Structure formats: C-alpha cells, structure tokens
C-alpha cells in the first residue's frame, strides 16, 4: 500500500463489496474528492473480501465511479496493519496516513460526517505539511 501512496498523505477507506454501510459512504465521494484533490491527498480504497471475487470488486468500483488507488486486502494485511498501530474494527473504517506512511488517525470520521472529516484531515495532515 505504501507504494500506492508515493510519499503523499492519504485517506484510506477500508470497505467490502458485501458491506451496505460502506457503499452508503460512497455517495459522499464527490465533495470529498474535490477537497482531497485541492490538498494533494490521495484516496485509497482497500477492499476486504471474505471470498475474493475480482470481477465483483471491479464492477462495484466502476458502478460507484470510485477514483483513486484500489487494492484488495486479506487477514495478513489486517495483521500487518495492526503491527503499525492501525486496527480495522468494523466496516467501513477510515484512516489517515501522513506522507511518511505513518497512521496519524486510525478512526477517522466518515465522509457522511462532512465537515468533521475535513477538519480532521486539516488537523492531522494539511496543517502538518505547512
């Protein structure tokens, strides 16, 4: 995942094709995308799949027009993430990663929280770059 970040801060959305609340958050992507683009923050969609189905995964990415970096993760990834201070305790989970690849917020607000998430991004990522 660090390769996908390319030394840029990121908002990571841990989701699943099977997760209704995850898909609900996708409807807030357009206003969030503009904010992230303006602040040079990458969007990463990391799908956790109990039974990996790449075709279903690709169809959902296309159907919801999810732009950003995409990867499919498994239990090994979740365990590795935990070693670095991040834990996925439910779906969706959003995390903020700084330009060094460090987790600076493991329980970020949801996109549906609007200004709360944007403020969190400003506090944890944008203001630290200045």
């Amino acid at each position: 995942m660090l390769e996908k970040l390319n030394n840029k801060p990121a908002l990571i959305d841990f989701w699943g094709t099977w997760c209704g609340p995850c898909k609900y958050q996708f409807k807030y992507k357009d206003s969030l995308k503009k904010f992230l683009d303006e602040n040079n923050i990458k969007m990463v969609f990391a799908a956790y799949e109990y039974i990996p189905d790449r075709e279903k995964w690709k169809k959902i990415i296309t159907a919801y027009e999810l732009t950003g970096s995409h990867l499919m993760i498994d239990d090994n990834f979740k365990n590795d993430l935990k070693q670095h201070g991040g834990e996925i305790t439910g779906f969706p989970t959003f995390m903020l990663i700084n330009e060094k690849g460090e987790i600076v917020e493991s329980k970020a607000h949801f996109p549906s929280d609007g200004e709360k998430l944007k403020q969190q991004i400003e506090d944890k990522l944008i203001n630290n770059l200045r």
Side-chain angles (χ1 to χ4, degrees), residues 60-77:
I60 289 177
I61 290 168
T62 301
Y64 285 93
E65 299 175 344
L66 303 178
T67 57
S69 297
H70 297 273
L71 56 130
M72 200 178 284
I73 63 171
D74 57 17
D75 286 332
N76 291 329
F77 182 95

Side-chain angles (χ1 to χ4, degrees), residues 2-103:
L2 290 177
E3 290 173 14
K4 290 192 177 285
L5 296 179
N6 198 24
N7 297 320
K8 289 187 179 179
L11 171 63
I12 303 176
D13 176 356
F14 293 98
W15 67 287
T17 59
W18 43 267
C19 174
C22 298
K23 293 175 194 173
Y24 174 79
Q25 293 301 319
F26 294 157
K27 67 186 203 175
Y28 297 92
K29 67 178 173 45
D30 291 337
S31 64
L32 184 59
K33 180 183 180 345
K34 183 177 187 256
F35 177 79
L36 295 176
D37 288 348
E38 289 171 350
N39 291 287
N40 202 26
I41 297 170
K42 292 193 74 141
M43 184 72 218
V44 178
F45 295 93
Y48 178 81
E49 298 299 308
Y50 296 106
I51 302 169
D53 181 341
R54 293 189 73 76
E55 288 307 310
K56 181 178 182 182
W57 174 65
K58 288 178 186 178
K59 283 179 184 176
I60 289 177
I61 290 168
T62 301
Y64 285 93
E65 299 175 344
L66 303 178
T67 57
S69 297
H70 297 273
L71 56 130
M72 200 178 284
I73 63 171
D74 57 17
D75 286 332
N76 291 329
F77 182 95
K78 283 176 60 175
N79 292 333
D80 188 47
L81 184 67
K82 198 171 185 179
Q83 297 295 319
H84 291 90
E87 185 172 7
I88 301 169
T89 57
F91 292 92
T93 291
F94 289 83
M95 291 185 192
L96 300 174
I97 310 293
N98 68 16
E99 71 282 357
K100 297 173 189 169
E102 300 165 333
I103 299 167

Side-chain angles (χ1 to χ4, degrees), residues 103-115:
I103 299 167
V104 295
E105 181 57 64
S106 61
K107 290 182 172 64
H109 287 287
F110 290 172
S112 60
D113 293 327
E115 291 303 314

